[in-house]
């Protein structure tokens, strides 16, 4: 599967959802995740993300491995809904992009 990692948090640019052929993105308050049961590993979303937040599971940096489980859990969490159309990024996305240690900012 592919995995949305930490750099999506507080950015949520949503360019990724427009290209997904199987509608596998799920939206939370300040991050998207990929439903691992739906992702077909096509990889077309990877270059679309302005924050470079999406990785193939096997390419995830070591400090991002927790996001494998987080994507799987949040994809079926209450309130996390399918998103298939791009929308405006979070208002201060550009300020949060590439900030380290954003996991504490994740709103579930
Ligand atoms: Fe997040 Fe990048 Fe998509 S910031 S919403 S994974 S385009």
């Amino acid at each position: 599967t592919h995995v949305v990692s930490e750099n999506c948090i507080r950015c949520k640019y949503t360019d990724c959802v427009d290209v997904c052929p199987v509608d596998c993105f799920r939206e939370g308050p300040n991050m998207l995740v990929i439903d691992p049961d739906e992702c077909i590993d096509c990889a077309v979303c990877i270059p679309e993300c302005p924050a470079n937040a999406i990785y193939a599971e096997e390419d995830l940096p070591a400090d991002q491995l927790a996001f494998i489980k987080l994507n799987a859990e949040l994809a079926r969490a209450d309130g996390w809904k399918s998103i298939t159309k791009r929308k405006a990024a979070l208002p201060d996305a550009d300020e949060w992009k590439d900030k380290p240690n954003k996991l504490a900012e994740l709103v579930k």
Side-chain angles (χ1 to χ4, degrees), residues 1-101:
T1 190
H2 280 56
V3 175
V4 183
S5 66
E6 186 172 13
N7 211 20
C8 181
I9 297 169
R10 296 202 71 156
C11 291
K12 205 162 81 168
Y13 286 105
T14 74
D15 302 69
C16 52
V17 303
D18 263 353
V19 297
C20 181
V22 293
D23 296 343
C24 70
F25 285 92
R26 305 289 177 263
E27 182 181 17
N30 67 1
M31 180 188 186
L32 300 193
V33 294
I34 289 173
D35 185 337
D37 293 338
E38 304 287 336
C39 177
I40 57 169
D41 281 332
C42 71
V44 296
C45 56
I46 292 178
E48 297 301 318
C49 176
N52 296 312
I54 306 174
Y55 292 86
E57 183 176 336
E58 59 270 24
D59 295 334
L60 265 178
D63 64 351
Q64 299 292 304
L65 290 175
F67 282 87
I68 297 172
K69 200 171 164 213
L70 265 177
N71 277 238
E73 284 175 3
L74 295 174
R76 44 194 56 64
D78 281 349
W80 288 63
K81 298 253 160 55
S82 180
I83 175 171
T84 58
K85 282 219 162 62
R86 185 180 173 183
K87 61 189 213 181
L90 291 174
D92 47 2
D94 291 346
E95 284 155 50
W96 281 93
K97 185 179 160 200
D98 299 328
K99 280 211 174 148
N101 306 316

